[in-house]
Every structure is written in C-alpha cells, then in structure tokens.
Amino acid sequence: MTSPEPLGASPDEQRELRADAERNRERILAAARTLFAREGLGVSMAAVAREAGVGKATLSRRFATREDLITAVFADRMDAYADATDTALADPDPWRGFAGYVHAVCAMQAADRGFADVLTMTFPAAKPLEARRAQAYNGLLELIARAQASGHLRPEFSDRDMVILLMANAGVIAATGDAAPDTWQRLVGYMLRSFAAPGAELPTLPPPPQPRALYRAMVRLARPHQTADADKRPRHPA
C-alpha cells in the first residue's frame, strides 16, 4: 500500500515520495522485528511506531492492521518453518527426520520470541501466513506417519502433542530469557524421550541450566509481579 501522490507533483517529486514511503516501510519492519524478537507479540503498534521513528498515521498507511504487520515481519520465518518439514521428509531415516524437525522448529522459537508466539497462535486474516502454516502442518502429518510406521515414534503421538510442545517451549523461552537461554534444549531433549518408542536412537540429553542462571531467570520472572504489587499499595502523603 503506498501513499497517494499529490496532484501536480513532478516526476522527480513522485519518485522521492515513493522512495520515502519505502524507507518508512523498511524502518517499520526493522523496528517490529527487533521488538517482536525481544518482547514477543504483546508489543503495541504505538511502540513499533516509536521505535521506527514514524507517526501512527504513517504506520497505519504502510500496515493497515496488526495482522498485515505480523505477516510482513514473519514471512521469511514462516517460509523457513514450512521448509523444515521438507528437509525432515528428505531424511531417509524417518525417526531422525522427525527428531531433527522438532529440534529445528524449537530452535526457531528460541531465536525469536515473536516467532515463538506466532507458532502457538492463529491469524485468520493473515492468509499468506496461514497458508504457509497449513503447508507445514501437512508436512508434519506425513512426518508423524512415517516415524510411527518405522516403529520409533510412539503410536499414540498426535499432531496436537506438537502444539503442546511448542506452547511449552514458548513458555520456557519467555521465562528464562537471556538469563538461561539454552534451557529450552533440555525441555526438547526430555520431550523427545517421551515421544520415542523403545529402541529409538536419541541424542545426548542437554545439561540442565546452571543453578545461578536458573535463579536469575526466577528473579526476572518475579519482578513484574513485584512491580504490580507495589503499584497496588496505598499511597500515603509524606
């Protein structure tokens, strides 16, 4: 979507207006990527506009809805998400392909908190994004069927279990943040063990986070609640 060009503008002025509009769009996308990756999808559109150094009206002209912005920001990541199933299906070992897919997708979540949220939500109005999600889902169904047929994935495993894992992983990533950033790998290691049938080959279980790192993550989690409690305390005049 581009801004209407003023009547009577010269060709040079029109080109400059289009270039300015494109610069604004790129600034908005860069700002949204940064904020979503760091803080998740709870970031407001106003915060994106501030980070980009543009007004709310400019943001609205470039991206009429929140879904439009999310689609633009995460288009490449959704492509990589869908491609992960193709890579896994190309592995001649069905179980290894399945386990590799699980780890790859959870790693994508760990690299970007916003994408961790995207994988556990639906955006009906964001049709390109949802089309890629559907493609990835169909690939996952095939991965599950192949791994179960090989005898290495438990027969009771369901595609819904993958959604549960992604939700749990998103929670661990949000909770540990940069205090204990590799904790998600421990979760995935244990979950793969719960998914595996007897005899399936499993990678080495990643180590647990260091006690001090986990403590820092717990302190970090407590801070928002402490701040909220402080805000509720009655104010007394000095």
Side-chain angles (χ1 to χ4, degrees):
M1 178 176 165
T2 58
S3 302
E5 295 166 354
L7 293 175
S10 70
D12 286 345
E13 289 171 332
Q14 291 176 9
R15 280 192 293 272
E16 180 55 35
L17 286 168
R18 286 193 292 269
D20 186 58
E22 184 58 27
R23 284 192 294 269
N24 283 339
R25 184 179 188 278
E26 291 305 316
R27 279 200 293 267
I28 291 166
L29 286 174
R33 287 190 187 103
T34 298
L35 292 177
F36 287 156
R38 187 173 66 220
E39 302 176 30
L41 294 187
V43 173
S44 69
M45 295 289 273
V48 172
R50 284 195 301 272
E51 180 77 10
V54 302
K56 293 180 184 178
T58 298
L59 174 58
S60 296
R61 283 196 298 272
R62 302 280 76 75
F63 301 98
T65 68
R66 187 178 185 81
E67 287 78 9
D68 289 343
L69 179 59
I70 289 171
T71 297
V73 168
F74 293 106
D76 58 341
R77 290 163 179 78
M78 286 303 290
D79 287 345
Y81 174 53
D83 291 345
T85 56
D86 295 336
T87 299
L89 288 168
D91 194 314
D93 183 326
W95 166 251
R96 187 175 61 197
F98 172 82
Y101 168 82
V102 169
H103 192 276
V105 172
C106 289
M108 290 178 195
Q109 285 187 299
D112 187 324
R113 276 193 61 188
F115 192 59
D117 292 341
V118 166
L119 289 186
T120 58
M121 299 178 181
T122 58
F123 304 91
K127 296 192 183 302
L129 186 148
E130 292 302 320
R132 294 300 268 164
R133 190 197 305 278
Q135 179 185 345
Y137 174 72
N138 291 332
L140 173 62
L141 293 180
E142 186 175 350
L143 274 175
I144 292 170
R146 291 173 72 237
Q148 287 174 332
S150 75
H152 292 145
L153 177 62
R154 289 182 178 276
E156 64 269 26
F157 181 86
S158 163
D159 59 286
R160 295 182 295 279
D161 293 319
M162 187 66 196
V163 177
I164 294 169
L165 170 57
L166 293 176
M167 288 178 171
N169 195 47
V172 167
I173 291 164
T176 55
D178 52 9
D182 296 328
T183 305
W184 68 272
Q185 297 192 46
R186 180 82 168 180
L187 170 68
V188 172
Y190 269 121
M191 293 305 294
L192 283 174
R193 279 159 173 73
S194 74
F195 300 158
E201 184 178 350
L202 288 164
T204 302
L205 183 67
Q210 292 296 316
R212 185 178 295 276
L214 195 57
Y215 176 75
R216 286 198 302 270
M218 294 167 71
V219 169
R220 177 178 171 276
L221 270 180
R223 282 175 184 153
H225 299 288
Q226 292 168 351
T227 301
D229 289 342
D231 290 342
K232 293 176 185 175
R233 291 177 194 146
R235 307 289 182 183
H236 298 290

